[in-house]
Amino acid sequence: MMTIGLDDVIAAETVLSDVDGLQGRLVMRGRSLDDLAGHVGYEAVMALLFDGFFEHAPASWQAALGAARQEVFEHLSFADPALVAQEPIDAMRALTARIADGDESATALRLVAAPAVFTAGLVRLRKGLRPIPPDASLGHAADILRMAGLPAEPLQARALDTYLVTVADHGLNASTFASRVVASTRAGLVSSVLAAISALKGPLHGGAPGPVLDMLDAIERADHARAWLEAVLDRGDRLMGFGHRVYRVRDPRADALKSALGPLLQDGRADRERAALAQAIEAAALDTLRRRKPGRTLETNVEFYTALLLDALGFQRDTFTCVFAMGRVAGWIAHAREQASTGRLIRPQSRYVGPPVGEAQER
Ligand code: ACO
């Protein structure tokens, strides 16, 4: 039997995360998202995901990650103007490719540091500013904000930390699968992460939150929402931030991120009017999708509130996918190590539907 898109195909056993699409539940190594998001820092979730996958684990993952940020910062000196002019996700991927491949925890830490340090540095270089060197004594989230030149008080650092934890791992999504396929060839962690970044950048996966903000800008006023959304569906396009391959109910990560946005709104650090517009658009979109796609349950996914949260923190929309990578990279690495430990090459079959021998048309 063949399934285009591999829906419902189980292609790996994992101890890392479980996505229950019917109950709307996400579990990472036996801990539910509700117990992690807002309660545990990113370094702790990274250590949870990495546990048992490396021969040599550092005494303190947080200190080792801080040191790795300082190490990879050196690569920013190779960001020439042509590279800086690329889309941030492409430039960040190119700099990540400078890291020597390997399977050690030291390589893993450099790879976790890479999207954070390179994205922050690239954002500065694009503005003609010098990159800000990492501060190894800070938590990862606080240092990301500081390096990017964004407000980095505990309120913002906590919100970004919650985001990074929320997206750290999520079953066999497209980028994680890409990471596992490469790891199964024994190519090494850098190769696995580069494949994963490439898969993440597409708008059907991690490239959606920028377009979510474009949608808010285009709609402008709550009373314009319905007509605008209907027109998108009339064109046969999709509403960004809605729908999911696995969830048939609301994505639990959407609520985790909505909660993280709350304190920023209360404190006046996030634009309340924009948040109110977003909520009105979300309600109109869900209603429109229910009417227009009655055969499918299409609910809000993680990208909708990602857009609002990262915007409130001051990230530019063309860097949202890079910020996603800053969180998901821990999951990619843990899955790559888990896949490599099976020793089994991933190599499915395809069914040939081309012309029989002798019937091929000359071109
Ligand atoms: N807007 C409009 N219609 C949609 C949407 C959407 N957001 N999502 C699915 N549909 C429709 C499809 O057009 C299709 O309809 P049809 O049968 O009439 O052709 C049907 O619903 C297919 O539904 P699914 O099988 O549930 O969707 P699929 O698994 O193919 O796609 C995906 C999942 C890619 C996430 C899709 O919902 C989508 O494109 N969403 C918008 C982009 C987005 O938000 N991506 C981020 C996803 S979360 C993440 O990866 C981190």
Side-chain angles (χ1 to χ4, degrees), residues 158-236:
R158 253 196 314 275
L160 180 59
D161 211 17
T162 301
Y163 171 75
L164 298 176
V165 166
T166 300
V167 302
D169 197 37
H170 200 244
L172 206 54
N173 58 87
S175 55
T176 299
F177 187 49
S179 171
R180 288 190 78 123
V181 169
V182 174
S184 83
T185 73
R186 303 191 186 163
L189 289 174
V190 175
S191 303
S192 292
V193 166
L194 290 171
I197 295 171
S198 304
L200 184 75
K201 84 173 235 191
L204 296 192
H205 188 12
V212 168
L213 279 195
D214 296 341
M215 171 174 76
L216 300 195
D217 288 349
I219 293 177
E220 258 182 353
R221 287 174 33 183
D223 57 343
H224 290 170
R226 276 174 200 278
W228 193 92
L229 297 166
E230 294 279 359
V232 171
L233 296 182
D234 288 345
R235 288 199 302 271

Coordinates of all heavy atoms in Angstrom, one line a residue, residues 158-236:
R158 N 11.5 35.1 29.8 CA 10.6 34.0 30.2 C 9.7 33.6 29.0 O 9.5 32.5 28.7 CB 9.8 34.4 31.4 CG 10.2 33.7 32.7 CD 9.2 33.8 33.7 NE 8.6 35.1 33.9 CZ 9.1 36.0 34.7 NH1 10.3 35.8 35.3 NH2 8.5 37.2 34.8
A159 N 9.2 34.6 28.3 CA 8.3 34.4 27.2 C 9.0 33.6 26.1 O 8.5 32.7 25.5 CB 7.7 35.7 26.6
L160 N 10.3 34.0 25.7 CA 11.0 33.3 24.7 C 11.4 31.9 25.1 O 11.3 31.0 24.4 CB 12.3 34.1 24.3 CG 13.1 33.5 23.2 CD1 12.4 33.3 21.9 CD2 14.4 34.3 22.9
D161 N 11.7 31.8 26.4 CA 12.1 30.5 27.0 C 10.9 29.5 26.8 O 11.0 28.4 26.4 CB 12.4 30.6 28.4 CG 13.5 29.6 28.9 OD1 14.1 29.0 28.0 OD2 13.6 29.4 30.1
T162 N 9.7 30.0 27.1 CA 8.5 29.2 27.0 C 8.3 28.8 25.5 O 7.9 27.7 25.2 CB 7.2 30.0 27.4 OG1 7.4 30.4 28.8 CG2 6.0 29.2 27.3
Y163 N 8.6 29.7 24.6 CA 8.4 29.4 23.2 C 9.4 28.3 22.8 O 9.0 27.3 22.2 CB 8.7 30.7 22.3 CG 8.8 30.3 20.9 CD1 7.6 30.0 20.1 CD2 10.0 30.2 20.2 CE1 7.7 29.6 18.8 CE2 10.1 29.8 18.9 CZ 8.9 29.5 18.2 OH 9.0 29.1 16.9
L164 N 10.7 28.5 23.2 CA 11.7 27.5 22.8 C 11.4 26.1 23.3 O 11.5 25.1 22.7 CB 13.1 27.9 23.3 CG 13.6 29.2 22.8 CD1 15.0 29.6 23.4 CD2 13.8 29.2 21.2
V165 N 10.9 26.1 24.6 CA 10.5 24.8 25.2 C 9.3 24.2 24.4 O 9.3 23.0 24.1 CB 10.1 25.0 26.7 CG1 9.4 23.8 27.3 CG2 11.4 25.3 27.5
T166 N 8.3 25.0 24.1 CA 7.1 24.5 23.5 C 7.4 23.9 22.1 O 6.7 22.9 21.7 CB 6.1 25.7 23.3 OG1 5.8 26.2 24.6 CG2 4.8 25.3 22.6
V167 N 8.4 24.4 21.4 CA 8.6 23.8 20.0 C 9.8 22.9 20.0 O 10.2 22.4 18.9 CB 8.8 25.0 19.0 CG1 7.6 25.9 18.9 CG2 10.1 25.8 19.2
A168 N 10.3 22.5 21.2 CA 11.6 21.7 21.2 C 11.5 20.4 20.5 O 12.5 20.0 19.9 CB 12.1 21.5 22.7
D169 N 10.4 19.7 20.6 CA 10.2 18.5 19.9 C 8.8 18.2 19.6 O 7.9 18.7 20.3 CB 10.8 17.3 20.7 CG 11.1 16.1 19.8 OD1 11.5 16.3 18.6 OD2 10.9 15.0 20.2
H170 N 8.5 17.5 18.5 CA 7.1 17.3 18.1 C 7.0 16.1 17.2 O 6.6 16.2 16.0 CB 6.6 18.5 17.4 CG 5.1 18.6 17.4 ND1 4.4 18.6 16.3 CD2 4.2 18.7 18.4 CE1 3.1 18.7 16.6 NE2 3.0 18.7 17.9
G171 N 7.3 14.9 17.7 CA 7.1 13.7 16.9 C 7.9 13.7 15.6 O 8.9 14.4 15.5
L172 N 7.3 13.0 14.6 CA 8.1 12.8 13.4 C 7.6 13.8 12.3 O 7.1 13.5 11.3 CB 7.9 11.4 12.9 CG 9.0 10.8 11.9 CD1 10.3 11.0 12.6 CD2 8.7 9.4 11.6
N173 N 7.7 15.1 12.7 CA 7.4 16.2 11.7 C 8.4 16.1 10.6 O 9.4 15.4 10.6 CB 7.4 17.5 12.4 CG 8.7 17.8 13.1 OD1 9.6 18.3 12.4 ND2 8.9 17.4 14.3
A174 N 8.1 16.9 9.5 CA 8.9 16.8 8.3 C 10.4 17.1 8.5 O 11.2 16.4 8.0 CB 8.3 17.8 7.3
S175 N 10.7 18.1 9.3 CA 12.1 18.4 9.5 C 12.8 17.4 10.4 O 14.0 17.0 10.1 CB 12.3 19.8 10.1 OG 11.6 20.0 11.3
T176 N 12.1 16.9 11.4 CA 12.7 15.8 12.2 C 12.9 14.5 11.4 O 13.9 13.8 11.6 CB 11.8 15.6 13.4 OG1 11.7 16.8 14.2 CG2 12.3 14.5 14.3
F177 N 12.0 14.2 10.5 CA 12.1 13.1 9.7 C 13.3 13.3 8.8 O 14.1 12.3 8.6 CB 10.8 12.9 8.9 CG 10.8 11.6 8.1 CD1 11.2 10.4 8.6 CD2 10.5 11.6 6.7 CE1 11.2 9.2 7.9 CE2 10.5 10.4 6.0 CZ 10.8 9.2 6.5
A178 N 13.5 14.5 8.2 CA 14.7 14.7 7.4 C 15.9 14.5 8.2 O 16.9 13.9 7.7 CB 14.6 16.2 6.9
S179 N 15.9 15.0 9.4 CA 17.1 14.8 10.3 C 17.4 13.3 10.5 O 18.5 12.8 10.4 CB 16.9 15.5 11.6 OG 17.9 15.1 12.6
R180 N 16.3 12.5 10.7 CA 16.5 11.1 11.0 C 17.0 10.4 9.7 O 17.8 9.4 9.8 CB 15.2 10.4 11.5 CG 14.9 10.9 12.9 CD 13.8 10.1 13.5 NE 14.2 8.8 14.0 CZ 14.1 8.3 15.2 NH1 13.5 9.0 16.2 NH2 14.5 7.1 15.5
V181 N 16.5 10.8 8.5 CA 16.9 10.1 7.3 C 18.4 10.3 7.1 O 19.1 9.3 6.8 CB 16.1 10.7 6.1 CG1 16.7 10.2 4.8 CG2 14.6 10.3 6.1
V182 N 18.9 11.5 7.3 CA 20.3 11.8 7.1 C 21.1 11.1 8.2 O 22.1 10.4 7.9 CB 20.6 13.3 7.1 CG1 22.1 13.6 7.1 CG2 19.9 14.0 5.9
A183 N 20.6 11.1 9.4 CA 21.4 10.4 10.5 C 21.5 8.9 10.2 O 22.5 8.2 10.6 CB 20.7 10.6 11.8
S184 N 20.5 8.3 9.5 CA 20.5 6.9 9.3 C 21.6 6.5 8.3 O 21.9 5.3 8.2 CB 19.1 6.4 8.8 OG 18.9 6.7 7.4
T185 N 22.1 7.5 7.6 CA 23.2 7.2 6.6 C 24.5 7.3 7.4 O 25.6 7.2 6.8 CB 23.2 8.1 5.4 OG1 23.6 9.4 5.8 CG2 21.8 8.2 4.8
R186 N 24.5 7.7 8.7 CA 25.7 7.9 9.5 C 26.5 9.1 9.0 O 27.7 9.1 9.1 CB 26.6 6.6 9.6 CG 25.8 5.4 10.1 CD 26.7 4.3 10.4 NE 25.9 3.1 10.7 CZ 26.3 1.9 10.7 NH1 27.5 1.6 10.4 NH2 25.4 0.9 11.1
A187 N 25.8 10.1 8.5 CA 26.5 11.3 8.0 C 26.9 12.3 9.1 O 27.8 13.1 8.9 CB 25.6 12.0 7.0
G188 N 26.4 12.2 10.3 CA 26.8 13.1 11.4 C 25.7 14.2 11.6 O 24.8 14.4 10.8
L189 N 25.8 14.8 12.8 CA 24.8 15.7 13.3 C 24.7 17.0 12.5 O 23.6 17.5 12.3 CB 25.1 16.0 14.8 CG 24.8 14.9 15.8 CD1 25.2 15.3 17.2 CD2 23.3 14.5 15.8
V190 N 25.8 17.5 12.0 CA 25.7 18.8 11.3 C 24.9 18.5 10.0 O 24.0 19.3 9.7 CB 27.1 19.4 11.0 CG1 27.0 20.6 10.1 CG2 27.8 19.7 12.3
S191 N 25.2 17.4 9.3 CA 24.4 17.1 8.1 C 22.9 16.9 8.4 O 22.1 17.4 7.6 CB 25.0 15.8 7.5 OG 26.4 16.0 7.2
S192 N 22.6 16.2 9.5 CA 21.2 16.0 9.9 C 20.5 17.4 10.1 O 19.4 17.6 9.7 CB 21.1 15.2 11.1 OG 21.6 13.9 10.9
V193 N 21.2 18.2 10.9 CA 20.6 19.5 11.2 C 20.4 20.4 10.0 O 19.4 21.1 9.8 CB 21.3 20.2 12.3 CG1 20.9 21.7 12.5 CG2 21.1 19.5 13.6
L194 N 21.4 20.3 9.0 CA 21.2 21.1 7.8 C 20.0 20.7 7.0 O 19.3 21.5 6.4 CB 22.5 21.0 7.0 CG 23.7 21.8 7.6 CD1 25.0 21.4 6.8 CD2 23.5 23.3 7.6
A195 N 19.8 19.4 6.9 CA 18.7 18.8 6.2 C 17.4 19.3 6.9 O 16.4 19.7 6.2 CB 18.7 17.3 6.2
A196 N 17.4 19.3 8.2 CA 16.2 19.7 9.0 C 15.9 21.2 8.8 O 14.7 21.5 8.6 CB 16.4 19.4 10.5
I197 N 16.9 22.0 8.8 CA 16.7 23.4 8.6 C 16.0 23.6 7.2 O 15.1 24.4 7.0 CB 18.0 24.3 8.7 CG1 18.6 24.2 10.1 CG2 17.7 25.7 8.3 CD1 20.0 24.8 10.2
S198 N 16.5 22.9 6.2 CA 16.0 23.0 4.8 C 14.5 22.6 4.8 O 13.7 23.3 4.1 CB 16.8 22.1 3.9 OG 18.2 22.5 4.0
A199 N 14.2 21.6 5.5 CA 12.8 21.1 5.5 C 11.9 22.1 6.3 O 10.8 22.4 5.9 CB 12.7 19.7 6.2
L200 N 12.5 22.7 7.3 CA 11.7 23.6 8.2 C 11.3 24.9 7.4 O 10.2 25.5 7.7 CB 12.5 24.0 9.4 CG 11.7 24.9 10.4 CD1 10.7 24.0 11.2 CD2 12.7 25.5 11.4
K201 N 12.1 25.3 6.5 CA 11.9 26.7 5.9 C 10.6 26.8 5.1 O 10.1 27.9 4.8 CB 13.1 27.2 5.2 CG 13.3 26.7 3.8 CD 14.5 27.4 3.1 CE 14.1 28.2 1.9 NZ 15.2 28.6 1.1
G202 N 10.1 25.7 4.6 CA 8.9 25.8 3.7 C 7.7 26.3 4.4 O 7.5 26.0 5.6
P203 N 6.8 27.0 3.7 CA 5.6 27.6 4.3 C 4.6 26.5 4.8 O 3.8 26.9 5.7 CB 5.0 28.4 3.2 CG 5.6 27.9 1.9 CD 6.9 27.4 2.3
L204 N 4.7 25.3 4.4 CA 3.8 24.3 5.0 C 4.3 23.8 6.3 O 3.6 23.0 7.0 CB 3.6 23.1 4.0 CG 2.9 23.5 2.7 CD1 2.5 22.3 1.9 CD2 1.7 24.5 2.8
H205 N 5.5 24.1 6.7 CA 6.0 23.6 7.9 C 6.4 24.8 8.8 O 5.5 25.4 9.4 CB 7.2 22.7 7.6 CG 7.8 22.0 8.8 ND1 7.2 21.9 10.0 CD2 9.0 21.3 8.9 CE1 7.9 21.2 10.8 NE2 9.0 20.8 10.2
G206 N 7.7 25.2 8.9 CA 8.0 26.3 9.8 C 8.1 27.7 9.2 O 8.4 28.7 9.9
G207 N 7.7 27.8 7.9 CA 7.7 29.1 7.3 C 6.4 29.9 7.4 O 6.2 30.9 6.7
A208 N 5.4 29.3 8.2 CA 4.1 30.0 8.2 C 4.0 31.2 9.0 O 3.1 32.1 8.7 CB 3.1 28.9 8.6
P209 N 4.7 31.4 10.1 CA 4.3 32.5 11.0 C 4.6 33.9 10.4 O 3.8 34.8 10.7 CB 5.2 32.3 12.2 CG 6.3 31.4 11.9 CD 5.7 30.5 10.7
G210 N 5.6 34.0 9.5 CA 5.7 35.3 8.8 C 4.5 35.7 8.1 O 3.9 36.8 8.3
P211 N 4.0 34.8 7.2 CA 2.7 35.0 6.5 C 1.5 35.2 7.4 O 0.6 35.9 7.0 CB 2.6 33.8 5.6 CG 4.0 33.3 5.4 CD 4.7 33.6 6.6
V212 N 1.5 34.7 8.6 CA 0.4 35.0 9.5 C 0.4 36.5 9.8 O -0.7 37.1 9.8 CB 0.6 34.2 10.9 CG1 -0.4 34.7 11.9 CG2 0.3 32.7 10.6
L213 N 1.5 37.1 10.0 CA 1.6 38.5 10.3 C 1.2 39.3 9.1 O 0.5 40.3 9.1 CB 2.9 39.0 10.7 CG 3.3 38.8 12.2 CD1 4.6 39.6 12.5 CD2 2.2 39.2 13.2
D214 N 1.6 38.8 7.9 CA 1.2 39.5 6.6 C -0.3 39.5 6.5 O -0.9 40.5 6.1 CB 1.8 38.7 5.4 CG 3.3 38.7 5.4 OD1 3.9 39.6 6.0 OD2 3.9 37.9 4.7
M215 N -0.9 38.4 7.0 CA -2.4 38.3 6.9 C -3.0 39.4 7.9 O -4.0 40.0 7.5 CB -2.8 36.9 7.3 CG -4.3 36.7 7.5 SD -4.7 34.9 7.8 CE -4.2 34.7 9.5
L216 N -2.5 39.5 9.1 CA -3.0 40.5 10.0 C -2.9 41.9 9.4 O -3.8 42.7 9.5 CB -2.3 40.5 11.3 CG -2.3 39.2 12.2 CD1 -1.9 39.5 13.6 CD2 -3.7 38.6 12.2
D217 N -1.8 42.2 8.8 CA -1.5 43.5 8.2 C -2.5 43.7 7.0 O -3.1 44.8 6.9 CB -0.1 43.6 7.6 CG 0.9 43.7 8.7 OD1 0.5 43.9 9.9 OD2 2.1 43.6 8.4
A218 N -2.7 42.7 6.2 CA -3.6 42.8 5.0 C -5.0 43.0 5.5 O -5.8 43.8 4.9 CB -3.5 41.6 4.1
I219 N -5.5 42.3 6.5 CA -6.9 42.4 7.0 C -7.2 43.8 7.7 O -8.2 44.4 7.5 CB -7.3 41.2 7.9 CG1 -7.2 39.9 7.0 CG2 -8.6 41.4 8.5 CD1 -7.5 38.6 7.8
E220 N -6.2 44.2 8.5 CA -6.2 45.5 9.1 C -7.3 45.7 10.2 O -7.1 46.2 11.2 CB -6.4 46.6 8.1 CG -5.1 47.3 7.8 CD -5.3 48.4 6.7 OE1 -6.4 48.6 6.2 OE2 -4.3 49.2 6.5
R221 N -8.6 45.4 9.8 CA -9.7 45.6 10.7 C -10.6 44.4 10.8 O -10.8 43.7 9.8 CB -10.6 46.8 10.1 CG -10.0 48.1 10.2 CD -10.8 49.2 9.5 NE -12.3 48.9 9.6 CZ -13.2 49.6 9.0 NH1 -12.8 50.7 8.3 NH2 -14.5 49.3 9.1
A222 N -11.0 44.1 12.0 CA -11.8 42.9 12.3 C -13.0 42.7 11.3 O -13.2 41.6 10.9 CB -12.3 42.9 13.8
D223 N -13.6 43.8 11.0 CA -14.8 43.7 10.1 C -14.4 43.4 8.7 O -15.3 43.2 7.9 CB -15.8 44.9 10.3 CG -15.1 46.2 9.9 OD1 -13.8 46.2 9.9 OD2 -15.7 47.2 9.7
H224 N -13.1 43.4 8.4 CA -12.7 43.1 7.0 C -12.4 41.6 6.9 O -12.2 41.1 5.8 CB -11.5 43.8 6.6 CG -11.7 45.3 6.4 ND1 -10.6 46.2 6.2 CD2 -12.8 46.0 6.3 CE1 -11.1 47.4 6.0 NE2 -12.4 47.3 6.1
A225 N -12.3 40.9 8.1 CA -11.7 39.6 8.1 C -12.4 38.6 7.2 O -11.8 37.9 6.4 CB -11.7 39.1 9.6
R226 N -13.8 38.5 7.4 CA -14.5 37.4 6.7 C -14.3 37.5 5.2 O -14.0 36.5 4.6 CB -16.0 37.5 7.1 CG -16.2 36.7 8.4 CD -17.6 36.8 8.9 NE -17.6 36.5 10.3 CZ -17.5 35.3 10.8 NH1 -17.6 34.3 10.0 NH2 -17.4 35.1 12.1
A227 N -14.5 38.7 4.6 CA -14.4 38.8 3.2 C -13.0 38.4 2.7 O -12.8 37.7 1.7 CB -14.7 40.2 2.8
W228 N -12.0 38.9 3.5 CA -10.6 38.6 3.1 C -10.3 37.1 3.1 O -9.7 36.5 2.2 CB -9.7 39.4 4.1 CG -8.2 39.4 3.6 CD1 -7.7 40.4 2.9 CD2 -7.2 38.5 3.8 NE1 -6.3 40.1 2.6 CE2 -6.0 38.9 3.2 CE3 -7.2 37.3 4.5 CZ2 -4.8 38.2 3.3 CZ3 -6.0 36.6 4.6 CH2 -4.8 37.0 3.9
L229 N -10.8 36.5 4.2 CA -10.5 35.0 4.4 C -11.2 34.2 3.3 O -10.7 33.3 2.7 CB -10.9 34.6 5.8 CG -10.2 35.2 6.9 CD1 -10.9 35.0 8.3 CD2 -8.7 34.7 7.0
E230 N -12.5 34.6 3.0 CA -13.2 33.9 2.0 C -12.5 34.0 0.6 O -12.4 33.1 -0.1 CB -14.6 34.5 1.8 CG -15.6 34.4 3.0 CD -16.2 33.0 3.1 OE1 -16.0 32.2 2.2 OE2 -17.0 32.8 4.0
A231 N -11.9 35.2 0.4 CA -11.3 35.4 -0.9 C -10.0 34.5 -1.0 O -9.7 34.0 -2.1 CB -10.9 36.9 -1.1
V232 N -9.3 34.3 0.1 CA -8.2 33.4 0.0 C -8.6 32.0 -0.3 O -8.0 31.3 -1.2 CB -7.5 33.4 1.4 CG1 -6.4 32.3 1.5 CG2 -6.8 34.8 1.7
L233 N -9.7 31.5 0.3 CA -10.2 30.2 0.1 C -10.7 30.1 -1.4 O -10.6 29.1 -2.0 CB -11.2 29.8 1.1 CG -10.7 29.7 2.5 CD1 -11.8 29.2 3.5 CD2 -9.5 28.7 2.6
D234 N -11.4 31.2 -1.8 CA -11.9 31.2 -3.2 C -10.7 31.0 -4.2 O -10.9 30.3 -5.3 CB -12.6 32.5 -3.6 CG -13.9 32.6 -2.8 OD1 -14.4 31.6 -2.4 OD2 -14.5 33.8 -2.8
R235 N -9.6 31.5 -3.9 CA -8.4 31.4 -4.8 C -7.8 30.0 -4.7 O -6.8 29.7 -5.4 CB -7.3 32.4 -4.4 CG -7.6 33.8 -4.8 CD -6.4 34.7 -4.8 NE -5.6 34.7 -3.5 CZ -5.9 35.5 -2.5 NH1 -6.8 36.5 -2.7 NH2 -5.2 35.4 -1.4
G236 N -8.3 29.2 -3.7 CA -7.7 27.8 -3.5 C -6.5 27.9 -2.6 O -5.7 26.9 -2.5

